[in-house]
Amino acid sequence: MNKSALVYDDLMQKIEGEIYPVGTYLPSENQLCDLYGISRETGRKALAELAENGYIQKIRGKGSLVIEHHQYEFPVSGIVSYKELAAKLHIKTENIVYSYEPNAILPVADFTALGTELTEAPVTAIKRVRVINDEPDIIDKDYILKTVIPDVPRSAAEDSLYDYFENQLGLEIGYATKEITMAPATAEDCEHLGLKPGAYVAVVRSVTSLTDARAFQFTESRHRPDKFSFRDFARRAHK
Amino acid sequence: MNKSALVYDDLMQKIEGEIYPVGTYLPSENQLCDLYGISRETGRKALAELAENGYIQKIRGKGSLVIEHHQYEFPVSGIVSYKELAAKLHIKTENIVYSYEPNAILPVADFTALGTELTEAPVTAIKRVRVINDEPDIIDKDYILKTVIPDVPRSAAEDSLYDYFENQLGLEIGYATKEITMAPATAEDCEHLGLKPGAYVAVVRSVTSLTDARAFQFTESRHRPDKFSFRDFARRAHK
DNA sequence: GTTGACAACTTGTCTAAACAAGTTTATATT
DNA sequence: AATATAAACTTGTTTAGACAAGTTGTCAAC
C-alpha cells in the first residue's frame, strides 16, 4: 500500500474512533509531515480523499475540520458487497439463490439507459433474495458477461460474487454507474418480497466495470419501499 | 481560475463535444504538459478529477480512456440548481411558490437522520412545485437557517435560491448530504402532484453546507414516482 | 479602547525531478 | 516462425521547494 493510502486509513480510523471528533481540526499539513514522516503533497493527497469522501472540510487559513459523516448506509452505497456491508454493520443477512441460469441472454432494454450498446450478449443470470433480519427486503438480478467471466459457479452466487471476482479470479473492480427509479411491483416482486398488488418498489440498475474499463456485470435490484434508503455525499462543482 | 481547472474544463468540453470520443485515449500526461504549458502534476490533477466524475478511466501503461458518461441527469444530481439544470438540458420548467413563511421553525425530526442536532431553529420556510413540461412533478420544501441567512425574499424563491445565495450574497456552497427514501403520498402530495391516494412518492432529504462547514439549508423534495430518476457514479474503494 | 501593521500560522497552487511499474513495439536471437 | 530482450512509451508515487492567499494573535500607534 502507498504512503498516502496508509495515512488516509489511519486518519479515517481515528476519525471514526473519535480520536479526532466531529468539530475538531486534524493536525495541520506540516504536522502530518512530521507525524508520518512524509512530504506535504503526500499528506495532502490523503486529506483530499478524506474530503472527497465526506470526512473533513478543508478551510483555507484554518485547517481540516472533521464533519458529520455517513457511509456504509444500508443497503445502497458506493460499490460494496453485501458480505462486506453485513460484516461492517453486524447485520444478520441471508442470501437465497432462487434462479441460476449459466447460459442466458442479457435483457438489453433494461440497461440501455446506462449507456450499454450490447445486444444478445451471453451471460450467467442469477436471481437472489436478500433476507435481512429474517425479512425478505431485496431482489437482486445479476447478469455477468461470459465474454469476461466465462463461468460463475452457483456456489459463488450463494456466498459473494465480489469475493469470487476479486479474490478467486484476481479481477480488479473499477467503477459502476447506478440508476435509481421507482416502478410498480411485479408479480415476482410481490411473491418474493411479500408485497400487495399495486405496491411500488425502488429499482436500482447498475453496470459495473473493471479497472480496464470492460463492463462485466449488470444488476437490477428491487427493494421493498419501506426499507429502501440511499445516502449520497456531493460537493458543489468548482467555478 | 487555476491552471488545472482550466485544463479540466477544456478536456471536459472536448470529451462532451466528441473531439475525444468514448473509447479513445486523451493525450498522454507528457503531451498535456506541452499542449497547455503546464507541469505534469498539474495535468494529473485535472485528469484525476475527470476520473472522479466518470469521464475517463486511467489505465497504467496505456493512458486515459474516455468512457461512457452520464451527468446532469434530471432531476437529482450533485448540487445543481433547477435553473442551472434547465439551462443545461433545455427543459421548459416552471416554479410555483405556494407557501412562504419568513418566520418558521425547522421540523427537526425530518433531518435527524442526516446528522443534525438542531432544535427549534428559526428558518425561512418555502414550499414550491416544480412544473416540468406543463406537468407538476416535484414538491420542494426548503428551510433556510435565519442564523446564517437572515432574509430570503420571496422573489429569490420564485427565481433561484442558489443564484441568490451565491451571486447576491456572495456565499460559497460547499457540500451536501442527501438521503433518498420512499414514502406514501400525503394529501398535500396528491393535491399538488395530481396523485391518487395510496400512491408512493420518492423523498429526497438533503442538508447543504457552506465551505466553512456551516449547515444552512434543509430541503425535502417529494417526487412523482413515474418521473423520479437518480444517477450515481461510484469507484471501488482502494485496498 | 480602537485601529492598523505585522508576524506566524494555516491551506492552495504549481514546478521539476526522480524512480517504480505496466504496455507496446521493435529488434535480435534462437 | 517463435522467443526473448531491450527500448520507448505509458501512468503511479513521492519528494523538496517556492510563492500565493486566508486566518489569527501580538503589538505598537493613535
Side-chain angles (χ1 to χ4, degrees):
Chain A
M1 204 141 92
N2 20 353
K3 289 190 185 181
S4 62
L6 286 168
V7 174
Y8 173 90
D9 281 358
D10 193 63
L11 290 175
M12 187 205 67
Q13 280 171 19
K14 285 177 176 164
I15 290 171
E16 292 192 342
E18 293 181 45
I19 294 173
Y20 300 129
V22 171
T24 65
Y25 285 90
L26 295 184
S28 77
E29 295 177 353
N30 284 319
Q31 288 172 328
L32 291 179
C33 297
D34 297 338
L35 281 172
Y36 293 98
I38 55 175
S39 69
R40 193 174 151 221
E41 278 300 331
T42 300
R44 280 179 62 78
K45 202 173 266 185
L47 292 176
E49 200 156 358
L50 287 170
E52 185 66 44
N53 293 339
Y55 286 98
I56 61 172
Q57 172 71 11
K58 301 200 75 182
I59 305 177
R60 185 201 280 226
K62 300 185 83 171
S64 298
L65 181 65
V66 179
I67 61 178
E68 206 72 46
H69 177 80
H70 302 276
Q71 212 174 28
Y72 289 114
E73 285 294 332
F74 204 75
V76 191
S77 66
I79 309 179
V80 182
S81 74
Y82 277 82
K83 201 178 182 184
E84 290 167 346
L85 268 178
K88 188 107 183 171
L89 299 177
H90 310 294
I91 281 178
K92 182 184 169 192
T93 176
E94 215 180 334
N95 187 12
I96 299 168
V97 179
Y98 72 89
S99 170
Y100 176 79
E101 298 175 60
N103 292 293
I105 298 295
L106 178 67
V108 182
D110 290 359
F111 296 98
T112 46
L114 291 170
T116 314
E117 291 165 14
L118 293 169
T119 54
E120 310 220 332
V123 294
T124 304
I126 297 163
K127 295 185 184 181
R128 299 182 282 188
V129 175
R130 309 288 189 175
V131 181
I132 296 142
N133 294 329
D134 298 317
E135 214 174 43
D137 285 341
I138 305 167
I139 294 175
D140 266 12
K141 303 178 185 176
D142 282 288
Y143 308 97
I144 298 118
L145 279 191
K146 295 182 83 72
T147 50
V148 181
I149 302 173
D151 281 314
V152 182
R154 191 182 177 112
S155 60
E158 281 162 350
D159 182 30
S160 166
L161 284 181
Y162 277 24
D163 185 71
Y164 175 70
F165 297 152
E166 290 189 319
N167 301 329
Q168 308 295 314
L169 301 183
L171 298 173
E172 288 187 348
I173 294 166
Y175 58 92
T177 305
K178 292 186 183 183
E179 182 196 45
I180 301 175
T181 56
M182 294 176 72
T186 62
E188 190 177 352
D189 296 334
C190 294
E191 178 191 350
H192 290 101
L193 299 181
L195 298 173
K196 293 174 191 164
Y200 268 77
V201 292
V203 180
V204 182
R205 292 201 185 90
S206 62
V207 177
T208 310
S209 302
L210 301 172
T211 50
D212 64 4
R214 280 183 297 165
F216 73 101
Q217 184 190 25
F218 301 79
T219 306
E220 178 178 303
S221 292
R222 304 178 73 87
H223 299 244
R224 280 178 64 103
D226 52 331
K227 292 297 174 59
F228 177 76
S229 165
F230 177 84
R231 285 272 170 75
D232 189 36
F233 178 84
R235 290 191 173 275
R236 175 79 167 152
H238 56 291
K239 278 146 279 182
Chain B
M1 207 140 95
N2 21 353
K3 288 190 185 180
S4 63
L6 286 168
V7 174
Y8 173 91
D9 281 357
D10 192 64
L11 290 174
M12 187 204 68
Q13 280 172 17
K14 284 177 176 163
I15 290 171
E16 293 193 340
E18 293 181 46
I19 294 174
Y20 300 129
V22 171
T24 65
Y25 285 91
L26 295 185
S28 76
E29 296 178 353
N30 284 319
Q31 288 172 329
L32 291 180
C33 297
D34 297 339
L35 281 173
Y36 294 99
I38 55 174
S39 71
R40 194 173 151 224
E41 278 301 328
T42 300
R44 281 179 62 78
K45 202 173 269 185
L47 293 176
E49 199 156 359
L50 286 170
E52 186 65 45
N53 294 338
Y55 285 98
I56 62 172
Q57 172 71 9
K58 302 201 75 180
I59 305 177
R60 187 203 283 232
K62 301 185 83 171
S64 297
L65 182 64
V66 179
I67 61 178
E68 205 73 46
H69 176 80
H70 301 278
Q71 213 175 27
Y72 289 114
E73 285 294 332
F74 205 74
V76 191
S77 67
I79 309 180
V80 182
S81 74
Y82 276 81
K83 201 179 180 182
E84 290 166 346
L85 267 177
K88 187 107 182 170
L89 299 177
H90 309 294
I91 280 178
K92 182 185 167 190
T93 177
E94 215 179 332
N95 187 12
I96 300 168
V97 178
Y98 71 90
S99 170
Y100 175 79
E101 298 176 59
N103 292 291
I105 298 296
L106 178 67
V108 183
D110 292 357
F111 298 97
T112 47
L114 291 170
T116 313
E117 292 165 13
L118 292 170
T119 53
E120 310 220 335
V123 294
T124 303
I126 297 163
K127 295 185 183 179
R128 298 182 281 187
V129 175
R130 308 287 188 174
V131 181
I132 296 142
N133 294 330
D134 298 316
E135 215 174 43
D137 285 341
I138 307 167
I139 293 175
D140 266 14
K141 302 177 186 177
D142 283 288
Y143 309 97
I144 298 117
L145 280 190
K146 294 182 84 70
T147 50
V148 181
I149 302 173
D151 281 313
V152 182
R154 191 181 177 115
S155 61
E158 281 163 350
D159 181 31
S160 166
L161 284 181
Y162 277 24
D163 185 71
Y164 175 70
F165 297 153
E166 291 189 318
N167 300 330
Q168 307 296 313
L169 301 184
L171 298 173
E172 289 186 348
I173 295 166
Y175 58 91
T177 306
K178 292 185 183 184
E179 182 196 43
I180 301 175
T181 56
M182 294 175 72
T186 63
E188 189 177 353
D189 296 334
C190 295
E191 178 191 348
H192 289 102
L193 299 181
L195 298 172
K196 294 174 191 164
Y200 268 77
V201 292
V203 180
V204 182
R205 290 201 186 89
S206 62
V207 177
T208 311
S209 301
L210 301 173
T211 50
D212 63 5
R214 281 183 297 165
F216 73 101
Q217 183 190 24
F218 301 77
T219 306
E220 179 178 301
S221 291
R222 304 178 72 87
H223 299 244
R224 280 179 64 104
D226 53 330
K227 292 298 173 60
F228 178 76
S229 165
F230 177 83
R231 285 272 170 75
D232 190 36
F233 178 85
R235 291 191 171 274
R236 176 77 165 153
H238 57 290
K239 277 148 278 184

